Amino acid sequence: MLKSFKKILILSILISMLSQTVVFASGKYEDNYYEDLKIEKEIVLEDVREQLIAQDKMEHYPHYEKLVEEMYQNKIDMMRGYRSYSHYAPNGGIAYRENEYATSVDVYVPNDDINDVIVNSSLNFSQVIIAVLGYLLPNRILATIGTFGTIQSYGNNKMLKKFKNEGDGAIISSYIDHTEGDRGSMVIIRWNTYPNINSNGVVIVK
């Protein structure tokens, strides 16, 4: 009887130790994952800063910073099983937001479609959205982004080629500030959450 009790006690201790080891390992994995995401996010934000400086539009940085922060927070929420603003879009899509002060349009381009955008980057931005990528947008949004020039004119081809060569998708993100006489900026962001669009804006999946 005493031997049986000792066996049960030893078994219970071993199970407890194993459980603690699994929890510790799991926690360490999560910590490493979050640290990697943090580093990845900073690289994305550095790319954004570089492009905005070239366009003399650093005043738009807070908008893009918020977009990137939101994208990564949704990625973390998905991992934790929380509700997130995520849309499955392996063929790409568009997310847009608008109010009386500003309009933003984010075009999510899979790696396979990036070359089509590069080849037609001398077209007006709205033409690329409609003719090249085949996305449909409300007329009022198209009218707003019609004020943009070409993707090429914003110096974005370099980033598109970079992401194409590295096998990643791209987000063509545009922002118009209506309080500045509709001055716009455009940056290319690595689509690190492919095939998911993580946005709480209005999302149109292709």
Side-chain angles (χ1 to χ4, degrees):
M1 183 74 175
L2 185 60
K3 287 183 178 180
S4 297
F5 175 75
K6 284 182 178 179
K7 286 181 180 178
I8 293 172
L9 181 61
I10 291 170
L11 185 60
S12 298
I13 292 171
L14 288 173
I15 291 173
S16 177
M17 289 174 64
L18 181 61
S19 299
Q20 290 177 20
T21 302
V22 170
V23 169
F24 174 77
S26 176
K28 191 173 182 181
Y29 169 78
E30 279 196 19
D31 289 343
N32 290 338
Y33 178 76
Y34 296 145
E35 188 60 32
D36 288 345
L37 278 186
K38 185 177 178 182
I39 293 170
E40 187 179 281
K41 182 179 71 177
E42 284 307 313
I43 292 172
V44 170
L45 288 173
E46 182 57 36
D47 286 342
V48 169
R49 285 190 287 268
E50 180 184 322
Q51 293 173 77
L52 289 177
I53 289 171
Q55 296 173 38
D56 193 24
K57 296 282 176 56
M58 270 302 288
E59 66 270 23
H60 291 178
Y61 178 74
H63 162 75
Y64 294 106
E65 182 181 36
K66 184 178 179 181
L67 170 70
V68 173
E69 291 280 358
E70 178 185 279
M71 185 168 67
Y72 279 93
Q73 187 56 54
N74 277 329
K75 194 171 184 178
I76 290 172
D77 289 345
M78 282 183 67
M79 179 190 171
R80 290 175 172 171
Y82 299 158
R83 181 177 179 274
S84 66
Y85 298 97
S86 184
H87 306 262
Y88 183 64
N91 298 315
I94 284 181
Y96 68 88
R97 303 176 222 204
E98 60 175 333
N99 56 41
E100 60 184 303
Y101 304 109
T103 299
S104 65
V105 177
D106 304 314
V107 184
Y108 291 75
V109 186
N111 186 268
D112 289 345
D113 292 339
I114 289 180
N115 273 342
D116 290 338
V117 176
I118 293 173
V119 170
N120 293 282
S121 61
S122 59
L123 295 176
N124 181 280
F125 183 41
S126 58
Q127 290 177 311
V128 171
I129 291 175
I130 298 170
V132 180
L133 298 174
Y135 297 133
L136 297 175
L137 277 172
N139 288 334
R140 66 183 184 281
I141 299 294
L142 282 174
T144 300
I145 63 175
T147 61
F148 274 95
T150 67
I151 293 174
Q152 191 176 60
S153 68
Y154 286 86
N156 298 131
N157 275 2
K158 175 184 172 184
M159 297 302 293
L160 284 170
K161 289 175 182 176
K162 176 184 176 182
F163 298 153
K164 174 63 182 177
N165 292 336
E166 293 175 359
D168 293 312
I171 305 171
I172 307 172
S173 184
S174 61
Y175 177 74
I176 296 178
D177 189 332
H178 302 315
T179 67
E180 295 181 339
D182 289 346
R183 289 189 68 209
S185 60
M186 185 188 297
V187 301
I188 308 296
I189 300 171
R190 190 189 304 274
W191 187 3
N192 281 331
T193 61
Y194 178 86
N196 296 310
I197 295 176
N198 293 350
S199 171
N200 59 8
V202 178
V203 174
I204 302 172
V205 175
K206 188 175 178 181

